Amino acid sequence: VQLQASGGGLVQAGGSLRLSCAASGRTFSGYTVGWFRQAPGKEREFVAAINWSGVRLYYADSVKGRFTISRDNAKNTVYLQMNSLKPEDTAVYYCAANPRGDPRRGEYDYWGQGTQVTVSS
């Protein structure tokens, strides 16, 4: 499975962005998919995850109520809607598929390249 993350950009604080994670090579409709982010000088951190059916959702406390993860299996795509963005949300965002165990732990079989999100104050 190849994953392609897109949708990043520069936005002012309080603004919104929607990230997309598109899969190719094979369907990932049966996989849990997660989003992670890494800011300069910081470790990669969990942001959100969604199970194959879209029923089970996981969010980091720092993004609850502001970010929404969703998926469209017909389009082989997972989305991350980010609202009320803050400067501390600035990071490179990565999507990943098929976790080994808890999807918040970051042990995934497939990773996409990152997309930069920059939130100005």
Side-chain angles (χ1 to χ4, degrees), residues 5-91:
S6 62
L10 173 63
V11 64
Q12 288 189 332
S16 298
L17 284 173
R18 188 176 79 157
L19 305 184
S20 298
C21 176
S24 61
R26 61 178 291 183
T27 180
F28 72 173
S29 61
Y31 293 151
T32 291
V33 175
W35 285 97
F36 292 78
R37 66 187 182 186
Q38 187 166 21
K42 295 188 176 181
E43 292 188 353
R44 185 180 65 197
E45 64 174 356
F46 169 76
V47 176
I50 185 168
N51 80 323
W52 69 272
S53 65
V55 171
R56 293 200 67 180
L57 308 178
Y58 307 79
Y59 293 100
D61 288 343
S62 59
V63 306
K64 277 181 185 175
R66 300 188 298 121
F67 291 11
T68 302
I69 190 170
S70 62
R71 69 190 300 159
D72 184 339
N73 286 338
K75 295 183 178 179
N76 246 9
T77 302
V78 170
Y79 304 98
L80 184 68
Q81 178 67 43
M82 305 187 297
N83 298 330
S84 302
L85 283 161
K86 304 175 181 179
E88 52 263 44
D89 294 318
T90 295

